Amino acid sequence: SPLITLEGSPVNFVVCQLCALLSAFWFRLFLHPSKTSPFIRHVVATLLGLYFALFCFGWYALHFLVQSGLTYGIMILTGVEHMHKYCLLVALSYLSLCQITRVYVFDYGMYSADFTGPMMVITQKITSLAFEIHDGKHNIGVVVRRTSISSLYSVWIFLYVCVFRRMPSLLEYFSYNCNFMGILAGPTSSYNDYIAFIEGDPRRHRDSEADRKSKLRQSEPSPNVEVVRKVATSFFCLLVFLSVCKVFPVERNIDDDFIATMPFYAQVVYLYLSMLTTRPKYYFVWTLADAINNAAGFGFNGYGDDGSPRWDLISNLRILNIELATSFKVFLDNWNIQTAHWLKRVCYERCPYHPTAATFILSAMWHGAYPGYYLTFLTGIVITLAARAVRHNVRPYFLHSPTHKLVYDVITWAATQIAICYTVVPFVLLSVGPSIKFYRSWYFCLHIGCVLLAVALPVKPRHLRLKDQQKNLLREPVQRHPEATDSNCSQKEKTT
């Protein structure tokens, strides 16, 4: 979901984001790391972020400080071994409390003053940092156990660099959570990447070996061209959304006359069109947020094969890959990318049993208190399991010729788009009654079909699939995925 939707104080949101964009250019030009200290950059980024938050949400913005302050106290008072668990519990509980209060006490079904949107991003940042610190401590323990006494000095240096250096000060912590570039719409980023950006550390360039091959790459590239492209894309998406959002209202899918008079194939086409018209507002929010970070100089991710700079370190979506997705996995991998990475780090890769179901449930809790969210993500579980089963059992038969592969891609594209639309209708309708009415009008056909496919088609358990992946990695070199956002994050591909 978009972290701030257009229905909630749209003028305030757009004005603040445009001001943040201008501030980002100023921040990069006049408060560049070569011209000022990290302390000044932290202070300015934090104060601007809190000002924009107060402008949009009034005193509700104090919840951002309370949530951050509570979890920082937990980081200080609890041991590193259990810090990540307590931070996840407290941050998510406080977020859920605010979401429940906003929905059921103030304005059910309305997005006005949705101050919980920024809190969703802050929750991700808090827990990401806590898990980074915990994982660093765990890795250090392994090193210590394997190191001889003669190397204790090296171990101490390793401890300092990986743990004490990574424990943020209060200013660094609030700057990371509440900086003006991401306070309203994110996206989430690694704490290490953010600190490297603030301090101007050249080691943040991920392909430093390639950089040394070219003198051109030794200088920091300008993001201006990429910022202009992303801003133009975002406002084009906004224009499309404002033009078509009223033409294909989602609510018509549950209109009694529409259900009674329209043939089923027409209902399928209308479902696709009505859900398609809801996406541009998400594209607008996330693309503009990415442009703001890039304008400040944050988001450089090395150079591509053609030598051009890449500014996609914290990008949150790939529009063409979404619209042309031929599987549920491809769609999810390109939609709300940083949230998917967060869910993978804190849940999917750590859950010993049923990680797919656990990840979808955590995602529902994180999104909010509307029942429609839970219906969407519970439906997503069965569709993901069915899509995985079909991919493992059917796809290999279509890979022997380009023609067969093309036929498979066309069929799976149509199936994926309809499955996505079917899944997210409750996310838009919010309530149980209208959502169940929609599914009843479709006779729960995708639910039933996906359950049958998931049961009938065999799929290897996750640990066996991971072993197969490791064997394949040993047989042939595999290039790392360019969208990796955290050096501490596991690089193995999530099988979904």
Side-chain angles (χ1 to χ4, degrees), residues 219-476:
S219 60
E220 185 178 84
S222 171
N224 292 342
V225 174
E226 190 68 9
V227 170
V228 170
R229 184 188 69 80
K230 290 179 179 179
V231 170
T233 300
S234 67
F235 278 93
F236 173 77
C237 292
L238 177 61
L239 180 63
V240 170
F241 172 72
L242 295 176
S243 301
V244 302
C245 65
K246 301 300 182 182
V247 178
F248 299 101
V250 177
E251 291 74 16
R252 195 180 178 197
N253 286 287
I254 57 173
D255 181 74
D256 292 331
D257 292 336
F258 177 80
I259 295 173
T261 58
M262 296 296 288
F264 185 70
Y265 74 86
Q267 294 183 41
V268 173
V269 172
Y270 185 84
L271 172 67
Y272 171 70
L273 293 176
S274 62
M275 300 309 299
L276 180 66
T277 58
T278 65
R279 294 178 197 163
K281 68 178 179 181
Y282 299 81
Y283 298 161
F284 164 72
V285 170
W286 287 331
T287 305
L288 181 58
D290 195 18
I292 292 170
N293 282 272
N294 292 168
F298 188 28
F300 177 58
N301 197 24
Y303 295 86
D305 294 335
D306 59 353
S308 60
R310 294 172 47 231
W311 289 89
D312 57 357
L313 178 64
I314 55 174
S315 294
N316 225 5
L317 78 168
R318 306 180 193 94
I319 297 176
L320 288 180
N321 291 356
I322 291 170
E323 300 300 340
L324 301 177
T326 58
S327 72
F328 213 72
K329 178 186 186 307
V330 172
F331 189 100
L332 296 179
D333 284 347
N334 293 280
W335 174 271
N336 207 352
I337 296 171
Q338 302 307 322
T339 294
H341 287 166
W342 173 70
L343 290 168
K344 180 180 177 182
R345 285 195 297 266
V346 304
C347 183
Y348 186 85
E349 292 182 340
R350 301 171 192 271
C351 186
Y353 305 105
H354 307 294
T356 299
T359 302
F360 274 102
I361 292 172
L362 174 60
S363 182
M365 295 175 61
W366 174 78
H367 273 88
Y370 288 112
Y373 295 166
Y374 288 83
L375 286 175
T376 286
F377 289 105
L378 290 175
T379 302
I381 295 173
V382 296
I383 290 185
T384 297
L385 296 176
R388 180 186 300 162
V390 170
R391 184 176 180 85
H392 280 252
N393 290 274
V394 177
R395 186 172 182 269
Y397 294 102
F398 289 85
L399 300 180
H400 301 297
S401 73
T403 303
H404 291 170
K405 178 65 166 56
L406 178 61
V407 171
Y408 176 85
D409 287 342
V410 171
I411 295 174
T412 52
W413 173 83
T416 297
Q417 298 302 322
I418 297 304
I420 290 290
C421 294
Y422 179 91
T423 301
V424 301
V425 165
F427 196 97
V428 179
L429 298 179
L430 301 178
S431 300
V432 173
S435 302
I436 296 299
K437 182 179 181 180
F438 168 75
Y439 283 145
R440 288 178 60 189
S441 71
W442 279 57
Y443 303 100
F444 292 90
C445 59
L446 262 66
H447 287 88
I448 297 171
C450 288
V451 169
L452 293 176
L453 286 172
V455 172
L457 297 178
V459 177
K460 289 182 179 180
R462 179 171 174 247
H463 68 279
L464 294 180
R465 296 198 306 270
L466 293 177
K467 286 184 178 179
D468 291 342
Q469 289 178 2
Q470 292 172 357
K471 290 179 181 178
N472 293 333
L473 289 174
L474 293 176
R475 289 175 184 171
E476 57 181 348

Side-chain angles (χ1 to χ4, degrees), residues 479-490:
Q479 184 178 5
R480 290 194 174 191
H481 197 282
E483 270 70 33
T485 61
D486 186 356
S487 59
N488 298 303
C489 179
S490 171

Side-chain angles (χ1 to χ4, degrees), residues 140-211:
I140 289 167
V142 173
V143 172
V144 170
R145 287 194 297 269
R146 295 180 179 178
T147 304
S148 63
I149 297 178
S150 60
S151 302
L152 285 180
Y153 179 76
S154 299
V155 173
W156 171 251
I157 296 299
F158 186 74
L159 283 166
Y160 174 79
V161 171
C162 292
V163 175
F164 302 128
R165 182 61 185 87
R166 292 175 60 189
M167 184 67 73
S169 67
L170 186 61
L171 175 61
E172 290 172 332
Y173 189 70
F174 277 95
S175 174
Y176 173 57
N177 289 337
C178 302
N179 66 81
F180 74 95
M181 301 171 294
I183 184 66
L184 297 183
T188 299
S189 63
S190 164
Y191 173 78
N192 288 337
D193 287 333
Y194 178 75
I195 292 300
F197 153 72
I198 289 292
E199 296 178 351
D201 187 350
R203 289 175 296 177
R204 71 182 183 273
H205 301 338
R206 300 286 175 110
D207 57 346
S208 56
E209 292 184 3
D211 291 348

